[in-house]
Amino acid sequence: MQGHTRGRKDGRHALLVIVEDDLHANGRHFRTLDCIVLDTSDDMCGELIFTVFAAIAKFPRQQIVKGTREGLDSARARGRVGGRPRALTSEQITDARILLGAGHTRTVVAAKLRVSRWTLSRALDTASR
């Protein structure tokens, strides 16, 4: 089971694939005792059954993701924007440019604005775009 890769999959699907491979490697298969005939001893049939199980397991997660996206889109349409507020206002960025133009270093300007040098550099780069 170590090093098993079949591309990026949902965790449940990956688990089903690992279980399927492990069962087949050890010569084990599922077989129903009553109701419909379910025989996974055939590789193609077994893969089909596990693919169906994986799709069923994946469905609730897809519904949650869909609902979350719809909620975020609805909030955006109402003018709500998520995320962390900007550390520097446009006025502070303008002041920083003036100080930098006057010969101050980014370290000194960042200290005056009470932000890190990295935050100042990122704000300047974003504002210039």
Side-chain angles (χ1 to χ4, degrees), residues 8 15-16 19 35 41 43 48 60 78 82 90 99 101 118 120:
R8 184 181 162 110
L15 179 61
L16 288 173
V19 169
C35 297
S41 60
D43 284 341
L48 173 64
R78 292 189 313 261
S90 58
L99 291 171
W118 173 247
L120 175 63

Side-chain angles (χ1 to χ4, degrees), residues 39-104:
D39 182 4
T40 63
S41 60
D42 176 25
D43 284 341
M44 288 175 41
C45 179
E47 190 170 334
L48 173 64
I49 296 299
F50 274 90
T51 300
V52 170
F53 288 167
I56 292 169
K58 192 174 179 182
F59 182 75
R61 181 180 180 281
Q62 289 174 324
Q63 291 299 103
I64 292 168
V65 169
K66 179 182 175 187
T68 301
R69 284 190 185 136
E70 288 172 355
L72 290 172
D73 290 343
S74 174
R76 234 178 262 116
R78 292 189 313 261
R80 295 185 177 260
V81 179
R84 185 181 175 111
R86 300 252 180 227
L88 296 172
T89 64
S90 58
E91 293 82 19
Q92 288 173 314
I93 294 172
T94 302
D95 292 344
R97 287 181 199 271
I98 293 169
L99 291 171
L100 289 169
H104 291 80

Side-chain angles (χ1 to χ4, degrees), residues 9 20 26-27 36 39 51 60-62 66 70 76 79 85-86 96 100 102 105 112 114 116 119 122:
K9 303 285 185 193
E20 174 194 9
N26 294 313
I36 63 169
D39 182 4
T51 300
R61 181 180 180 281
Q62 289 174 324
K66 179 182 175 187
E70 288 172 355
R76 234 178 262 116
R86 300 252 180 227
L100 289 169
T105 65
K112 286 184 181 187
R114 297 180 187 215
S116 70
T119 299
R122 198 173 19 185

